[in-house]
């Protein structure tokens, strides 16, 4: 069935079933992926999918479903299922869909992959790793091109089309020397093009070098209170706590430690953090929110002061607080004034945190976990890679106490982060 | 899912080809402080083909199971394999042979419960909490169900069908401590089966909820754990997580080939002689387990993989390619998450086998340590260093349970830590409430008895 015909037919069926508000997203995707295992490009994967996501509100009762079988009989069953699900739902005036907005089409990236270039980049990366880091085993590496074409339509006249094609690549690796093995490490990136070699992206060249060093590790000699330098690779674990706590779940529940924090200090004044889905600076850019509004860029934290929550339309209606202009992610943290060398030089005793492996922090922000791919710093110098080293503290305090931010940053395609330093962690 | 005549389509081809028709059906209902914040269903289905040529794989998938779509994916997979194989042949040129067939359907035979009735069930559980414990800061009750239905056929002659469902109910509770800070805990309740087979009378959950609240209230007065190497009793839930993270991942053959230390320790003592660990395919002591895999997604008969036997590392988990590389027997560990995913080596039901001790005697034997009862997530490493979170635990002082402890993380080098195990309880606990993440998610179950050992604690 033609796309317009399918969408109109589904809208009509939903209205006929009694839904007064309906949102549809029809997505057609195509993925081409090359996989490497153990230095061989040994899997080429091609995948096609079409999925329809349907949200229906009937007398303030909401239900949603998604399916990828788009036969008429399957759509009819989906409408029947939604009717059954909505009838069981309690009423809530907070359920809603986006109002009418001017129709728009958005286009990001290419529509087709450069398959030869994908192969060449991956082959060159394997070769680079073998030549420069012979003791490093590339456990997994993959490069893919994924294209989505989406139509977002609702019963209030919303009608958007989004076409987006992105390259994604990642590598996971371990080094071995005799019977010594390093911790595995990984990094990846998203991009609209493959202008650079893979190892030039996402700090991979440096991480591969570090992996070789990390076959010989030592435990720290005693528990201490010290500084933590959080690398760009570990930043998501810390920023993620804050963004989760200003989003729907915690804010609606009333358990967020940031629940009355707008225009108050939530981090060090050295931190300015933006969400930039509309700027196309990042390959993870998105033109629309999940609710069907056109997404805008925003500064989430301005010199330590919280500017906005990350509430959806439902979260805004439930809490009475403003809806966010985007869905978060696409995070870009401003660069600082200090060089990375200066951050390290300013540490009496501490850890350069390459990767954090720990449990999810509790609602207060308390966390503890293992410092992976990390280094012990003493008297301003990196001493040795560590093993069996735990870091414990409180994430809200870590963010508040940041006392240095690096000029250097790493661009992952979905985020751009610098290194930051924070004191007062328990390292054991 | 409507089955298709895959056999006829895959037989006529040259070279090795697999066809897999798969449908994943998921549903979710969540109440947050009594408000319905999630009420959704997802169905994802389609056909995939995988072809092997000169040591390389080609894979293609399509969201349609028509004959035309099936022929398209077979051709695309074959073209992909030839493209790679002619450019740079792979090291493993031959796959370990396999021929196995069977049908394994674990659908419920009971009348279907409607969405409305499921919502009523969740609301009933939520209402019990709200009525009995009105002073809680927040509560969330979430019901999830998942069916994975697969039909498989290969040019090697294997044929299979499986429908493996599971259902999970999660209760998340938050209370306030004396400083007004939120203190949280959650309880996952999960089992093999569709909703109709797993959840009957909401009142049957009341005792679990009451115990959860009791622990939560004690946790509002929790003290920080002391950081460092400690003597601990791990409850069965944590022992299962240990089996999965600390040993399971390091013994997946693809990770072994990728540098895991387990590759250096075959037939060596890696644990105390009390410890035996198995990745069960589907049955333990005659009882069907929570993720029963009889035929994997390469058409291989699924067999138990003995990982550790009385402290000795014995073997790994394999797919056809790794079994050929290591010249060893197949175990049937290849599974794919959705129709558009290729099969990877995945765990199934990974467990430490029980011992002969009693939990209360184990606790009494600890002078200064901890009883660690609940976990949230975990992670493994090539070095066999493991980590997992502890969301409920108690001090043990002079053989008695003491204060609750705040959330913490435990870690260790598995093949060192396991040598410190000196007691194992005689009972077993199984859990299938989560997912294992690798390149793809996959449902798994993990199990074990209570275990006494020495472990690194995070804390103050």
């Amino acid at each position: 069935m033609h796309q317009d015909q399918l969408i109109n037919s589904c809208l009509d069926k939903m209205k006929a079933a009694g839904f007064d508000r309906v949102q549809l997203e029809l997505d057609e995707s195509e993925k081409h992926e090359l996989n490497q295992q153990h230095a061989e490009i040994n899997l080429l994967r091609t995948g096609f999918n079409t999925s329809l996501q349907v949200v229906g509100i009937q007398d303030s009762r909401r239900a949603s479903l998604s399916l990828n079988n788009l036969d008429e009989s399957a759509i009819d069953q989906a409408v029947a299922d939604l009717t059954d699900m909505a009838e069981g739902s309690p009423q809530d005036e907070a359920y809603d869909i986006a109002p009418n907005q001017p129709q728009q089409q958005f286009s990001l990236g290419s529509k087709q992959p450069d398959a030869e270039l994908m192969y060449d980049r991956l082959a060159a990366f394997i070769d680079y790793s073998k030549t420069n880091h012979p003791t490093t085993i590339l456990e997994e590496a993959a490069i893919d091109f994924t294209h989505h074409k989406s139509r977002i339509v609702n019963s209030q006249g919303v009608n958007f089309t989004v076409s987006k094609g992105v390259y994604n690549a990642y590598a996971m690796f371990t080094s071995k020397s005799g019977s010594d093995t390093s911790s595995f490490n990984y990094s990846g990136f998203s991009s609209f093009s493959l202008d650079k070699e893979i190892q030039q992206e996402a700090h991979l060249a440096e991480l591969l070098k570090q992996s070789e060093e990390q076959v010989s590790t030592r435990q720290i000699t005693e528990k201490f209170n010290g500084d933590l330098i959080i690398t760009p690779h570990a930043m998501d674990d810390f920023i993620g706590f804050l963004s989760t706590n200003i989003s729907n779940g915690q804010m609606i529940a009333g358990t967020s430690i940031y629940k009355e924090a707008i225009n108050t200090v939530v981090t060090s004044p050295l931190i300015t953090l933006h969400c930039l889905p509309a700027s196309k600076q990042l390959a993870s850019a998105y033109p629309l929110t999940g609710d069907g509004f056109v997404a805008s860029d925003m500064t989430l934290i301005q010199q330590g002061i919280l500017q906005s929550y990350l509430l959806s339309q439902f979260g805004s209606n439930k809490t009475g607080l403003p809806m966010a202009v985007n869905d978060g992610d696409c995070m870009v943290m401003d660069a600082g004034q200090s060089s990375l060398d200066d951050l390290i030089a300013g540490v009496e005793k501490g850890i350069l945190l390459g990767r954090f492996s720990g449990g999810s922090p509790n609602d207060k922000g308390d966390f503890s976990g293992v410092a992976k791919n990390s280094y012990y710093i003493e008297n301003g110098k990196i001493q040795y890679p560590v093993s069996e080293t735990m870091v414990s503290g409180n994430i809200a305090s870590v963010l508040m106490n940041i006392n240095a931010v690096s000029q250097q940053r790493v661009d992952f395609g979905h985020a751009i982060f610098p290194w930051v330093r924070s004191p007062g962690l328990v390292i054991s | 899912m409507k089955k298709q005549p895959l056999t006829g389509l895959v037989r006529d081809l040259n070279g090795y080809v697999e066809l897999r028709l798969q449908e994943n059906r998921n549903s979710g209902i969540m109440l947050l402080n009594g408000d319905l914040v999630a009420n959704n269903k997802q169905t994802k289905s389609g056909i995939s083909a995988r072809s092997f040529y000169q040591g390389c794989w080609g894979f293609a998938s399509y969201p349609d199971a028509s004959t035309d779509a099936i022929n398209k994916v077979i051709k695309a997979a074959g073209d992909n394999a030839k493209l790679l194989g002619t450019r740079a042949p792979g090291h493993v040129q031959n796959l370990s042979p396999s021929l196995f067939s069977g049908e394994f359907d674990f659908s419920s035979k009971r009348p279907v419960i409607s969405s409305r009735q499921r919502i009523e069930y969740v609301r009933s559980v939520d209402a019990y909490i709200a009525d009995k414990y009105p002073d809680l800061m927040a509560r969330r009750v979430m019901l999830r169900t998942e069916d994975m239905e697969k039909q498989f056929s290969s040019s090697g002659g294997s044929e299979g069908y499986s429908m493996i469902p599971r259902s999970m109910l999660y209760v998340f509770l938050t209370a306030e401590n004396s400083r007004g800070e939120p203190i949280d805990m959650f309880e996952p309740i999960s089992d093999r089966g569709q909703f109709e087979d797993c959840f009957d009378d909401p009142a049957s959950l009341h005792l679990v909820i009451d115990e959860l609240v009791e622990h939560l209230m004690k946790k509002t007065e929790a003290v920080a754990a002391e950081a460092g190497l400690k003597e601990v009793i791990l409850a069965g839930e944590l022992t299962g997580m240990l089996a999965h993270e600390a040993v399971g991942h390091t013994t997946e053959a693809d990770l072994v080939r990728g540098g895991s230390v387990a590759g250096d320790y075959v037939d060596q003592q890696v644990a105390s002689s009390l410890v035996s660990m198995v990745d069960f395919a589907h049955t333990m002591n005659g009882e069907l387990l929570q993720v029963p895999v009889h035929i994997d997604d390469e058409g291989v008969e699924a067999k138990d993989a003995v990982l550790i036997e009385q402290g000795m590392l014995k073997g790994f988990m394999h797919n056809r390619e790794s079994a050929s590389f290591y010249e060893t027997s197949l175990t049937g560990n290849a599974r794919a998450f959705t129709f558009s995913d290729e099969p990877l080596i995945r765990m199934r039901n990974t467990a430490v086998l029980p011992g002969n001790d009693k939990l209360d005697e184990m606790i009494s034997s600890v002078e200064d340590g901890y009883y660690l009862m609940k976990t949230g997530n975990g992670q493994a490493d090539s070095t066999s260093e493991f980590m997992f979170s502890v969301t409920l635990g108690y001090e043990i002082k002079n053989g008695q349970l003491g204060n609750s402890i705040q959330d913490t993380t435990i870690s260790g080098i598995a093949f060192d830590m396991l040598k410190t195990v000196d007691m194992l309880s005689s009972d077993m606990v199984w859990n299938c409430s989560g997912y294992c993440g690798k390149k793809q998610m996959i449902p798994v179950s993990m199990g074990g008895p209570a275990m006494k050992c020495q472990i690194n604690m995070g804390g103050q």
Side-chain angles (χ1 to χ4, degrees):
Chain A
M1 195 189 286
H2 187 268
Q3 211 185 60
D4 281 345
Q5 202 180 346
L6 174 67
I7 286 170
N8 291 334
S9 168
C10 188
L11 274 175
D12 289 342
K13 288 178 199 276
M14 289 289 285
K15 285 176 191 167
F19 287 93
D20 41 84
R21 282 164 285 173
V22 180
Q23 177 172 305
L24 303 178
E25 180 171 347
L26 178 65
D27 181 82
E28 296 169 348
S29 67
E30 187 176 322
K31 181 171 188 162
H32 305 269
E33 182 186 77
L34 275 165
N35 285 261
Q36 175 282 163
Q37 274 199 317
H38 320 306
E40 295 178 346
I41 300 178
N42 65 352
L43 170 64
L44 174 55
R45 196 157 77 100
T46 310
F48 297 87
N49 197 26
T50 307
S51 72
L52 179 66
Q53 185 170 51
V54 187
V55 174
I57 300 171
Q58 184 181 81
D59 192 24
S60 296
R61 302 172 199 274
R62 186 186 189 277
S64 67
L65 63 69
S66 71
L67 69 163
N68 70 341
N69 177 355
L70 303 184
D71 293 345
E72 186 151 9
S73 61
I75 303 279
D76 288 340
Q77 183 61 52
V79 174
D81 286 345
L82 280 165
T83 305
D84 181 47
M85 290 159 70
E87 282 174 2
S89 161
Q91 290 176 306
D92 194 331
E93 296 294 328
Y95 298 132
D96 205 349
I97 58 174
N100 192 7
Q101 298 152 77
Q103 185 173 343
Q104 285 192 63
Q105 295 189 8
F106 303 91
S107 182
L108 297 156
S110 312
K111 290 187 167 50
Q112 293 291 331
D114 185 338
E116 284 293 325
L117 184 58
M118 286 172 67
Y119 190 98
D120 290 345
R121 286 284 185 245
L122 187 58
F125 178 65
I126 295 168
D127 203 52
Y128 171 86
S129 178
K130 268 196 238 178
T131 304
N132 293 280
H133 306 290
T135 62
T136 301
I137 302 165
L138 273 184
E139 193 176 315
E140 279 178 40
I143 186 166
D144 78 77
F145 176 84
T146 303
H147 183 266
H148 287 271
K149 185 176 171 197
S150 311
R151 280 284 301 283
I152 296 91
V153 165
N154 78 14
S155 55
Q156 301 195 143
V158 162
N159 190 349
F160 296 119
T161 306
V162 180
S163 164
K164 183 176 172 187
V166 175
Y167 294 97
N168 305 285
Y170 78 94
M172 185 166 134
F173 41 90
T174 304
S175 297
K176 268 185 106 77
S177 179
S179 59
D180 292 332
T181 304
S182 76
S183 215
F184 72 71
N185 205 351
Y186 54 87
S187 189
F189 66 94
S190 302
S191 181
F192 290 122
S193 68
L194 293 178
D195 293 341
K196 295 194 254 184
E197 299 286 354
I198 291 176
Q199 63 272 15
Q200 293 172 313
E201 301 269 16
H203 216 51
L204 271 163
E206 178 63 20
L207 294 182
L208 284 166
K209 176 171 161 289
Q210 289 179 7
S211 178
E212 283 193 317
E213 294 167 2
Q214 288 163 7
V215 292
S216 300
T217 58
R218 287 158 56 180
Q219 295 179 46
I220 57 169
T221 53
E222 58 182 2
K223 181 169 79 177
F224 66 91
N225 276 10
D227 291 354
L228 192 69
I229 296 181
I230 302 169
T231 65
H233 300 275
M235 192 71 71
D236 267 334
D237 291 296
F238 293 83
I239 294 297
F241 169 78
L242 188 147
S243 58
T244 298
N245 275 272
I246 56 174
S247 299
N248 277 8
Q250 303 286 66
M251 291 295 292
I252 294 171
T255 54
S256 170
I257 61 171
Y258 300 115
K259 63 185 173 200
E260 285 161 3
I262 289 289
N263 294 324
T264 71
V265 174
V266 295
T267 72
S268 157
L270 298 178
I271 300 299
T272 294
L273 182 68
H274 315 274
C275 297
L276 303 177
S279 73
K280 300 184 188 178
Q281 183 176 359
L282 297 170
S284 59
Y286 54 88
L288 302 170
T289 70
D291 291 324
F293 292 86
V294 176
S296 303
D297 292 339
M298 69 159 150
T299 297
L300 188 63
I301 298 172
Q302 179 69 47
Q303 292 177 306
I305 297 175
L306 186 65
Q307 305 294 306
S308 172
Y309 296 116
L310 289 174
L311 293 170
S312 71
Q313 186 180 35
F314 176 73
S316 170
N317 290 342
K318 286 303 287 185
T319 59
L321 295 167
M323 186 177 72
V325 300
N326 62 47
D327 285 344
D329 292 324
C330 295
M331 301 261 182
V332 175
M333 191 180 286
D334 282 357
Q337 304 296 313
S338 313
S339 70
L340 176 56
D341 286 344
D342 286 343
L343 259 69
I344 294 168
V347 173
E348 195 178 309
K349 281 180 93 168
I351 293 288
L352 176 64
L353 184 70
R355 179 167 68 90
F356 177 73
S357 177
S360 302
N362 63 20
D363 286 353
K364 284 193 292 157
D366 294 334
F367 76 96
S368 63
V370 182
K372 297 281 195 177
N373 310 105
S374 301
Y375 293 84
Y376 173 61
I377 303 171
E378 189 173 290
N379 296 327
K381 288 188 165 40
I382 290 177
Q383 301 293 324
Y384 49 79
V386 295
S387 61
E388 299 183 74
T389 300
M390 307 258 301
V391 178
S392 307
N394 178 280
I395 292 186
S397 299
V398 167
L399 295 173
M400 192 70 84
N401 297 333
I402 288 170
N403 58 21
V405 178
S406 71
Q407 295 157 338
Q408 300 94 323
R409 296 188 299 175
V410 175
D411 182 350
F412 296 99
H414 69 269
I416 302 176
F417 290 133
W419 283 253
V420 303
R421 186 179 68 205
S422 189
L425 285 296
V426 174
I427 296 157
S428 59
Chain B
M1 180 181 88
K2 189 179 165 197
K3 290 186 196 173
Q4 298 295 326
L6 301 182
T7 312
L9 291 161
V10 81
R11 284 280 182 272
D12 291 337
L13 301 163
N14 297 321
Y16 176 73
V17 177
E18 297 166 350
L19 278 175
R20 173 167 39 94
L21 179 64
Q22 181 167 343
E23 183 167 284
N24 291 32
R25 298 180 292 272
N26 295 274
S27 74
I29 295 166
M30 183 158 75
L31 291 178
L32 171 59
N33 292 346
D35 291 328
L36 187 70
V37 296
N39 181 17
N40 54 56
K41 276 188 186 177
Q42 300 88 38
T43 305
K44 189 172 180 187
S45 61
I47 188 81
S48 71
R50 200 169 70 131
S51 181
F52 190 69
Y53 180 81
Q54 298 273 51
C56 292
W57 291 99
F59 181 96
S61 61
Y62 209 73
D64 180 351
S66 64
T67 303
D68 185 49
I70 292 172
N71 286 327
K72 267 188 191 165
V73 294
I74 290 174
K75 181 175 186 315
D79 289 347
N80 285 351
K82 283 202 177 110
L83 183 71
L84 292 189
T86 47
R87 201 180 266 220
H91 179 84
V92 175
Q93 289 280 310
N94 299 297
L95 301 171
S96 289
S98 168
L99 180 64
F100 182 69
S101 295
E103 297 208 348
F104 308 96
D105 185 352
F106 300 103
S107 305
S108 177
K109 306 290 182 278
R110 298 182 181 195
V112 173
I113 303 287
S114 71
S115 294
R116 185 206 295 249
Q117 289 171 297
R118 291 182 189 202
I119 292 173
E120 278 310 312
Y121 182 96
V122 178
R123 291 180 83 183
S124 174
V125 172
D126 180 72
Y128 175 78
I129 301 169
D131 291 343
K132 193 164 179 185
Y133 304 106
D135 294 334
L136 288 174
M137 202 176 169
R139 64 189 192 276
R140 252 187 307 154
V141 182
M142 181 163 70
L143 171 71
R144 292 188 50 239
T145 67
E146 180 179 69
D147 295 346
M148 285 178 81
E149 189 171 6
K150 302 182 183 184
Q151 184 192 354
F152 176 90
S153 185
S154 77
S155 57
S158 290
E159 305 270 342
Y161 169 81
S162 65
M163 208 307 266
I164 304 176
R166 63 174 181 159
S167 301
M168 294 81 68
L169 187 89
Y170 306 87
V171 177
F172 300 80
L173 301 178
T174 307
E176 229 174 17
N177 67 10
S178 57
R179 293 182 295 279
E181 297 166 331
I183 303 297
D184 54 280
M185 271 197 62
F186 82 99
E187 178 75 33
I189 301 150
S190 62
D191 207 352
R192 180 194 75 251
Q194 293 179 302
F195 177 84
E196 292 77 3
D197 288 333
C198 294
F199 296 106
D200 189 0
D201 179 4
S204 66
L205 300 181
H206 290 178
L207 182 60
V208 168
I209 292 168
D210 292 340
E211 285 176 354
L212 180 66
V213 174
E214 188 180 336
H215 286 305
L216 177 63
M217 290 302 119
K218 288 179 182 169
K219 200 176 165 185
T220 60
E221 296 165 3
V223 301
E226 190 183 340
L229 190 66
K230 300 291 172 191
E231 192 161 56
V232 303
I233 308 292
L234 301 180
E237 183 181 315
L238 273 82
T239 305
M241 179 69 84
L242 185 82
H244 179 95
E245 294 295 350
V247 177
H249 276 299
T250 56
T251 53
E252 290 171 324
D254 51 347
L255 269 69
V256 174
R257 215 174 143 195
S260 158
V261 292
D264 302 323
Y265 292 151
V266 178
D267 289 330
Q268 292 185 39
Q269 200 78 25
V270 295
S272 114
S273 59
L274 292 178
V275 177
S276 293
M277 211 177 276
V278 178
D279 179 64
F280 291 96
H282 46 79
T283 307
M284 177 183 167
N285 295 336
E287 286 208 27
L288 193 68
L289 295 172
Q290 293 177 322
V291 181
V293 178
H294 288 77
I295 179 170
D296 79 356
D297 295 338
E298 291 186 320
V300 173
E301 182 182 6
K303 296 183 176 166
D304 297 344
V306 176
L307 306 176
I308 296 177
E309 191 166 47
Q310 294 179 327
M312 304 276 281
L313 187 72
K314 298 308 290 181
F316 309 134
M317 290 167 275
H318 289 283
N319 61 12
R320 293 180 65 190
E321 188 173 346
S322 70
S324 175
F325 178 83
Y326 284 106
E327 296 178 359
T328 187
S329 306
L330 288 164
T331 54
N333 279 91
R335 289 196 290 150
F337 184 44
T338 70
F339 79 95
S340 55
D341 292 316
E342 75 277 22
L344 302 175
I345 297 174
R346 308 312 300 263
M347 285 178 263
R348 299 157 306 183
N349 306 275
T350 318
V352 174
L353 302 190
N356 299 308
D357 298 300
K358 300 291 173 213
L359 178 62
D360 51 359
E361 288 168 3
M362 294 168 70
I363 292 172
S364 298
S365 73
V366 175
E367 267 192 37
D368 182 15
Y370 296 95
Y371 177 40
L372 307 178
M373 296 179 68
K374 298 237 169 259
T375 181
N377 64 307
Q379 196 174 55
D381 201 341
S382 318
T383 55
S384 87
E385 185 175 40
F386 63 90
M387 166 298 293
F388 46 95
S389 65
V390 175
T391 55
L392 178 67
Y394 289 89
E395 292 177 323
I396 303 176
K397 302 281 186 199
N398 300 316
Q400 302 284 326
L401 292 182
N403 293 315
S404 176
I405 59 170
Q406 296 166 5
D407 290 349
T408 187
T409 299
I410 56 176
S411 73
I413 303 287
F415 298 140
D416 292 338
M417 186 281 286
L418 287 172
K419 290 174 184 157
T420 71
V421 175
D422 59 8
M423 294 178 91
L424 286 172
S425 73
S426 54
D427 54 350
M428 279 289 285
V429 168
W430 286 96
N431 183 310
C432 68
S433 62
Y435 285 98
C436 173
K438 206 164 160 175
K439 189 184 170 202
Q440 312 153 16
M441 308 298 281
I442 201 84
V444 292
S445 88
M446 44 192 92
M451 171 188 278
K452 184 179 164 206
C453 60
Q454 295 195 9
I455 223 159
N456 266 330
M457 302 271 296
Q460 299 301 316

